[in-house]
Amino acid sequence: MAQRKLPEGLHPQTLAVRQAVQRSQYGENSEALYLTSGYVQSSAESQALRFAGEEEGDTYGRSGNPTVRSMEQRLAAMEGTQACMATSSGMSAIMLMCFSLLKAGDHVVFSQSMFGSTIKLIGSEFARFGVESTIVPQTDLDAWRTAVRPNTRLLFAETPTNPLGEVCDMAALAEIAHQANALLAVDNCFATPALQRPVDYGADIVMHSGTKYLDGQGRVMAGALCASEQLVIEKFLPVQKNSGMVLSPFNAWVVLKGLETLDLRMRAQSALALQVAQWLEQQPAVARVYYPGLASHPQHALAMRQMNGLGGAVLSFDVKAGNPEQARARAFHVLDALQVLSLCTNLGDTKSLLTHPASTSHGKLSEAQRQAAGIGQGLVRLAVGLEHIDDIKADLLRGLSTLT
Ligand SMILES: *Cc1c(COP(=O)(O)O)cnc(C)c1O
């Protein structure tokens, strides 16, 4: 189904509420949810043409759905890319990207601070199929540069990272990638297009977990790859069609509606996160706060330049402790004392969510890998939602003020 015809030059905020496929004959104002796995064909001849790719039109749910296309078109418009391919989750987006672009003998460079499952998927699972990889420190540009080899096809960065908010210089990474004839992919989960558009800095692929801020209310799992038409149509589409990592229409519809408020939510939640981060820095039980929006953050200037002057909505903090065992007990004490905020390993929700990375998202990494990523037992991650600032502080204080 064709794109809705809109005038040229509309702003991302407008496209976020307007870009979609054409309305049906009923003229619905809110985009329709097409829950169907198959499509009735008008004639055998037309069906044959559609299967041959010579006529536009849907045939089967694994190959396309108008609701999913609305979401893809909207997200592409917001990211400033020609096209987008939705997937069933963020990890399946990474799976699709790697499956589409890599073969045995190819090499990937990615950061040690990336999402735990990303490190496992590329560093371990794809290694079984002969894909080589080098893991580098997130912020060390020289390490990225020297890791590149003649067989390097892909540099994959996440900025800011989970859970420490480490930022990397996307323009510099794009230059390193392109000099080596490789592609730069950026996991834009934490910043979202409301704060940064990686293609503006030269990235070739923008990867999303739609499960996070794109949905924004913690309802569905989703993922996406935003890129050029050439990459999406020639590389991702054939693999997607045959592998079935497709996004369900219902989940696509939820994300589609979530995108309408993304800009507002990211601004409000980032502003709140900054207030919480500044307050946490003053708390005697807190050793250190990690948040790109704080002046104390090592890449604060770069983050502000790349992220539209905002730090995002995720921060982490270390509780003060003498040793790892005590640190773990103290972090657990803070989490167990919560009465309002959720103990929940997710982020990107209007509800504030807290978790203990060392025993959850990064629990399957070896202690050495965790140390390298700087994730100690006393670290608590807080994804700030939309509650009142005073209630957030009071809930955190329940545990923090009783630490001994
Ligand atoms: C959650 C997350 C993913 C994985 O997405 P899923 O939708 O959970 O599969 C990848 N990268 C980052 C940064 C994430 O936070």
Side-chain angles (χ1 to χ4, degrees), residues 275-325:
Q275 286 185 61
V276 176
Q278 286 168 338
W279 174 79
L280 278 169
E281 273 195 322
Q282 312 298 320
Q283 299 311 303
V286 172
R288 186 169 169 193
V289 182
Y290 306 83
Y291 180 63
L294 285 176
S296 61
H297 189 278
Q299 292 102 39
H300 176 64
L302 172 64
M304 293 301 97
R305 208 160 62 237
Q306 277 184 172
M307 294 167 65
N308 224 350
L310 297 170
V314 180
L315 60 92
S316 292
F317 58 94
D318 268 319
V319 293
K320 272 189 194 150
N323 57 56
E325 218 168 282

Side-chain angles (χ1 to χ4, degrees), residues 22 33 39-40 67 73 90 111 122 167 217 228 294 344 383-384:
Q22 250 151 32
L33 167 51
Y39 302 86
V40 177
T67 309
Q73 290 176 7
S111 145
I122 300 178
V167 177
Q217 295 179 57
S228 65
L294 285 176
C344 179
V384 178

Side-chain angles (χ1 to χ4, degrees), residues 89-91 115 158 187 189-190 207 209 211-212 221-222 347:
S89 69
M91 289 319 300
F115 192 64
E158 180 185 318
D187 181 334
C189 239
F190 275 54
M207 175 254 140
S209 165
T211 315
K212 312 294 167 54
M221 301 212 58
L347 59 102

Side-chain angles (χ1 to χ4, degrees), residues 9-261:
L10 294 176
H11 296 82
Q13 290 87 344
T14 308
L15 293 167
V17 294
R18 291 291 172 182
Q19 185 70 69
V21 301
Q22 250 151 32
R23 294 189 173 95
S24 78
Q25 71 271 32
Y26 298 114
E28 67 281 352
N29 187 45
S30 174
E31 294 75 12
L33 167 51
Y34 293 96
L35 270 185
T36 183
S37 49
Y39 302 86
V40 177
Q41 307 298 310
S42 58
S43 71
E45 182 59 27
S46 160
Q47 171 166 264
L49 288 171
R50 286 182 179 190
F51 269 85
E54 289 161 20
E55 182 187 290
E56 207 183 306
D58 287 307
T59 53
Y60 184 61
R62 182 150 35 74
S63 305
N65 176 283
T67 309
V68 175
R69 258 191 317 279
S70 278
M71 192 226 107
E72 292 170 337
Q73 290 176 7
R74 186 167 289 181
L75 185 57
M78 293 166 74
E79 282 289 3
T81 57
Q82 290 173 333
C84 167
M85 173 138 284
T87 59
S88 53
S89 69
M91 289 319 300
S92 67
I94 299 174
M95 182 78 186
L96 176 63
M97 175 174 74
C98 293
F99 231 90
S100 306
L101 299 177
L102 303 171
K103 60 181 188 318
D106 286 347
H107 177 244
V108 184
V109 184
F110 65 97
S111 145
Q112 67 190 15
S113 309
M114 290 187 87
F115 192 64
S117 294
T118 306
I119 295 175
K120 282 276 180 200
L121 181 68
I122 300 178
S124 305
E125 307 302 343
F126 270 92
R128 294 191 289 122
F129 300 93
V131 172
E132 300 165 11
S133 59
T134 305
I135 305 181
V136 295
Q138 167 88 349
T139 55
D140 184 349
L141 281 177
D142 283 335
W144 286 84
R145 207 173 279 120
T146 48
V148 170
R149 306 179 195 157
N151 58 338
T152 303
R153 295 281 167 271
L154 184 70
L155 272 65
F156 190 19
E158 180 185 318
T159 182
T161 55
N162 171 40
L164 298 179
E166 288 178 291
V167 177
C168 58
D169 185 334
M170 288 185 281
L173 289 185
E175 201 182 311
I176 294 170
H178 296 156
Q179 269 173 4
N181 264 328
L183 298 174
L184 173 65
V186 173
D187 181 334
N188 201 23
C189 239
F190 275 54
T192 82
L195 269 50
Q196 78 187 6
R197 304 207 309 181
V199 291
D200 294 343
Y201 301 93
D204 303 284
I205 301 165
V206 184
M207 175 254 140
H208 272 290
S209 165
T211 315
K212 312 294 167 54
Y213 292 100
L214 305 189
D215 165 9
Q217 295 179 57
R219 298 163 294 192
V220 299
M221 301 212 58
L225 296 172
C226 300
S228 65
E229 240 164 30
Q230 195 220 341
L231 274 176
V232 171
I233 291 168
E234 288 173 24
K235 299 287 185 184
F236 303 152
L237 185 64
V239 176
Q240 170 75 320
K241 271 189 181 175
N242 295 318
S243 68
M245 295 182 279
V246 288
L247 182 60
S248 90
F250 178 78
N251 289 7
W253 182 82
V254 172
V255 173
L256 179 74
K257 305 310 283 180
L259 289 176
E260 297 184 359
T261 54

